[in-house]
Every structure is written in structure tokens, then in C-alpha cells.
Amino acid sequence: MILQFLLSFSVFIQVSGSACLLKCKDNYMNGMSFVMADARADWSTEMITPLQHLLSSFDRRSALRGRLVRSCRLNTDYSSCLNACGQEVEMAAQILLEGQRTWNVICDRFYNDTNREFAERILPCWITNGSVIAYRCSHAAHDLQSEVVKLVSGGRDSIMDQLPRFCKTTYNYDRCFTRANADVCPSEHASKLIIYLAHVTSNTLMDLLDRTGKLQSILPESCRDWMNQKGMSSSSALRLQRNRNDAPAAGAAAAVI
Ligand SMILES: *[C@@H]1O[C@H](CO)[C@@H](O)[C@H](O)[C@H]1NC(C)=O
Ligand SMILES: *[C@@H]1O[C@H](CO)[C@@H](O)[C@H](O)[C@H]1NC(C)=O
């Protein structure tokens, strides 16, 4: 999910880059910036929050579907490309492949939609209301993007210092997205998928950070809240949405945790 972060990450854990990996990555990034061509912001930071980006700024009915088709094709090509780079860069390729876990989930739901849940319950709402979700969380997404830049540029040794803020910002973003989604797409289906994606992302990132050998065994509280998705279950997100008018947001969150 967080490609830019992952690239710097390979450097963190001292795996070598290679011309082959860079070629795969460049093709992927170029393809994605073309798919998301109407994006206003800089694509390299938009990579950090792809779903945010996928849902923002589209106004034609077909746009989201078309973006999914092209993004998923690029995702498949990118994975094949990385896998073909050979054994000497296997570890770096593996890190980049893990960064695609979120896309793998999205594309799997989109194409292997046997009970038509994605097509009938999730996609129609994201097509009409997805831009509202993205708009509401654009501040949180921006904060997250700058936090990622800080984490990466701080280097390996400062990971534990940066981690509490990083987890807090990511948790804020995930919570914002979950709530906004529950608000405008109040079906269990979309909520469950968003929460699952947040779960996949937090676990992937922690797995990767763990490889730096710099993570301490007791994670900061903000990281535990994030990984446990405190207050983010689909029922609490929906309950929050119902209670929204009765209590200030923070109070409502405390009430359902
Ligand atoms: C669909 O499911 C099959 C079998 O689980 C999997 O191999 C394939 O990658 C999935 N397709 C997509 C687009 O995720
Ligand atoms: C979009 O959100 C509105 C409320 O903001 C809701 O009434 C409507 O049902 C939603 N659209 C879909 C397709 O769920």
C-alpha cells in the first residue's frame, strides 16, 4: 500500500535495489499516475493512501470501475514483474510485493465477487458517495502522508521515537475513513471491507517495521490501539454513525470503545 515508504524501507533493512526492481517500480508508478490522472496532488504521496485516492475526484459513473480495472491490471503486471527479477533481489522484491497486499484484497473482491457483494452492495455506494468519504478524510490523509515522510527520512535508528506519532496518525486516518464510510455507505458490507483493509495495512506495516530489528517488543499504546482497531468494528462504526448527532465525536468514540 505504501510504496514510497516501502522503497525507502528496502534501504532501511539493507537489501539491495536492482535495475530490474526499479524498472518494475517505474512502470507501475507511471501506469498508476496515468490511471489517477485527474489527481490534483503529487502522486508519490498519494501512493500512501490509495483507497483515498481511488475514491476521490471522480464524477462519471464509469470512472471508479475503470480505475479499478486498470489499477488491478497494473497490480498483476507489477507482481509478475517483481517475481521475475531473480533470486538475488528476492528479499527486496518480497518487501515491494507485501506493499501490494491491500491492492490484492481490493482486486480479489472486485474480480472474485462470487456472491456479487462488491458489485451490488459496495461499488454502487462508493460510486455515488465515495468522493464524500475521501473529502472528509483529506486532512487526515495529508497528516498521514507527512508522517510517513518523517518516519522514512528519520532513518532506521529513530523508528521507535517516531512510532507513537506515526501510529496515532495512521489510526486517526483509518478511523476517519471507517466512520465516513459508515456515515455515507451504511451497509455492513462496505464497513467490513474498509476495516479489513485497515487491518491488512497495519499488520503489513508492523511486519515490515519488525524486519528493521529496531522495534521494541512493547509497542506504544497508539500502535496497539491502531492494530487492535479500537472503536473501529463495523458495528461500532455504524453505532457511531447513529449516535453522531447526540454527542461530540470524541465522546461518542469513547462511549463505544
Ligand atoms: C481470484 O481467486 C483466485 C483463487 O483464489 C486467485 O488465484 C486470483 O488471484 C484471484 N483473482 C484476483 C484478481 O485477485
Ligand atoms: C449516499 O449517502 C446518502 C446520505 O448522505 C444516502 O442517503 C444514500 O443512500 C447514499 N447512497 C448510496 C448508494 O448508498
Side-chain angles (χ1 to χ4, degrees):
M1 183 172 191
I2 301 184
L3 188 63
Q4 205 65 15
F5 177 69
L6 291 165
L7 285 172
S8 317
F9 206 85
S10 322
V11 180
F12 268 23
I13 61 168
Q14 289 149 0
V15 291
S16 54
S18 78
C20 180
L21 294 180
L22 288 176
K23 189 199 72 192
C24 299
K25 180 226 96 187
D26 283 345
N27 286 344
Y28 181 67
M29 296 280 277
N30 288 340
M32 286 301 271
S33 57
F34 188 73
V35 170
M36 310 292 187
D38 53 341
R40 271 157 280 156
D42 163 29
W43 176 243
S44 61
T45 57
E46 293 298 341
M47 291 301 285
I48 296 163
T49 47
L51 202 52
Q52 169 82 19
H53 204 73
L54 198 59
L55 296 184
S56 65
S57 64
F58 56 86
D59 49 16
R60 285 162 298 125
R61 253 195 100 68
S62 66
L64 178 58
R65 218 180 290 273
R67 279 180 184 198
L68 274 166
V69 170
R70 290 190 297 271
S71 303
C72 290
R73 192 179 304 138
L74 285 164
N75 183 47
T76 309
D77 292 349
Y78 183 47
S79 302
S80 319
C81 185
L82 291 174
N83 277 317
C85 280
Q87 280 197 328
E88 63 277 21
V89 292
E90 207 181 334
M91 205 168 150
Q94 204 53 46
I95 289 175
L96 293 173
L97 283 169
E98 282 185 30
Q100 298 306 107
R101 273 200 219 165
T102 319
W103 275 116
N104 295 343
V105 172
I106 296 171
C107 296
D108 183 60
R109 295 296 165 94
F110 184 48
Y111 281 109
N112 286 337
D113 195 21
T114 40
N115 51 9
R116 311 269 314 145
E117 191 177 293
F118 191 80
E120 284 167 14
R121 308 286 192 129
I122 299 176
L123 208 48
C125 188
W126 281 0
I127 287 171
T128 21
N129 288 345
S131 56
V132 177
I133 305 174
Y135 179 74
R136 277 206 209 161
C137 298
S138 55
H139 270 295
H142 182 80
D143 288 349
L144 172 58
Q145 286 155 2
S146 45
E147 211 52 49
V148 169
V149 173
K150 271 190 233 159
L151 183 75
V152 169
S153 53
R156 234 179 124 176
D157 289 329
S158 66
I159 283 189
M160 280 313 287
D161 299 334
Q162 309 266 9
L163 204 56
R165 267 194 71 90
F166 171 72
C167 288
K168 187 166 186 282
T169 320
T170 318
Y171 178 43
N172 279 345
Y173 173 72
D174 283 351
R175 229 175 6 176
C176 176
F177 211 92
T178 314
R179 287 180 190 173
N181 179 73
D183 237 4
V184 299
C185 295
S187 85
E188 285 277 322
H189 305 278
S191 289
K192 278 187 181 150
L193 177 58
I194 295 282
I195 288 165
Y196 181 62
L197 289 170
H199 168 80
V200 170
T201 308
S202 62
N203 279 279
T204 306
L205 277 170
M206 283 301 160
D207 286 353
L208 289 169
L209 284 172
D210 199 29
R211 294 196 197 182
T212 59
K214 297 286 179 187
L215 275 196
Q216 286 158 14
S217 55
I218 302 196
L219 290 174
E221 192 181 351
S222 59
C223 297
R224 283 180 275 137
D225 287 349
W226 174 44
M227 297 202 69
N228 295 332
Q229 304 185 307
K230 194 170 169 184
M232 274 172 55
S233 72
S234 56
S235 57
S236 69
L238 291 175
R239 205 155 51 228
L240 250 185
Q241 183 242 337
R242 283 195 291 272
N243 291 343
R244 184 166 51 106
N245 297 326
D246 308 333
V256 296
I257 284 165

